[in-house]
Amino acid sequence: MPNTGFTRFHEAINSGDADVVAQAIDEVVTPGLIFHAPVPMGLSGPQALKLVWSTLLRAFPDIRVSTEDVITEGDKVVMRNTVTGTHLGEYRGMPPTGRQVRYNEIFVLRFEGERIAEVWGVVDLYSQLRQLGALPD
């Protein structure tokens, strides 16, 4: 079963409130978070994660992350998620389209105690951008 840090973070990201997400990040992410993904503006650690989520919440205010599978082993949690949302704000230079998106992602989180210390992720950006009309079908 995932730890309380995982549960707290998952509940926060589905709140739709950037302040709640930022507070949860402060509570459940280590200050030295290692984020194995391209992050905007050269940020790292918790600040990078906060920027990712504030960007997503501005673009998709109704974003929902539904966890389909969770696998835990040792200090790691692997999640397979389905993400849904409506494009109502600027995203990657695109003005709002009003289109709904549904895409998949897989994340591996490494914990130190109850706090997330390292993140790896694979997000189906191709599907997301295709649904927004930024890429051809």
Side-chain angles (χ1 to χ4, degrees):
M1 188 66 172
N3 67 28
T4 57
F6 169 85
T7 303
R8 169 83 174 95
F9 185 67
H10 187 61
E11 289 171 355
I13 62 175
N14 281 320
S15 72
D17 184 324
D19 292 333
V20 169
V21 173
Q23 181 179 354
I25 289 170
D26 287 338
E27 293 171 7
V28 304
V29 171
T30 63
L33 172 72
I34 301 168
F35 201 165
H36 298 280
V39 289
M41 294 186 242
L43 295 175
S44 62
Q47 293 303 351
L49 196 54
K50 287 178 185 179
L51 182 58
V52 166
W53 276 100
S54 68
T55 299
L56 287 171
L57 285 165
R58 269 194 313 278
F60 305 96
D62 62 345
I63 196 167
R64 270 316 269 171
V65 178
S66 300
T67 300
E68 310 297 340
D69 289 303
V70 176
I71 301 167
T72 59
E73 184 173 322
D75 61 353
K76 292 193 177 87
V77 174
V78 179
M79 311 173 294
R80 181 178 65 87
N81 301 321
T82 300
V83 181
T84 57
T86 310
H87 183 215
L88 300 176
E90 184 276 330
Y91 182 65
R92 295 182 172 255
M94 290 180 286
T97 63
R99 293 181 179 186
Q100 293 187 347
V101 295
R102 179 184 185 89
Y103 59 93
N104 298 307
E105 62 183 19
I106 296 176
F107 278 88
V108 178
L109 309 176
R110 183 182 62 79
F111 284 81
E112 290 177 358
E114 295 294 315
R115 299 186 84 172
I116 302 167
E118 204 163 357
V119 177
W120 295 263
V122 178
V123 178
D124 186 357
L125 286 177
Y126 177 80
S127 178
Q128 178 198 70
L129 294 173
R130 194 183 79 242
Q131 291 172 56
L132 293 175
L135 297 174
D137 285 337

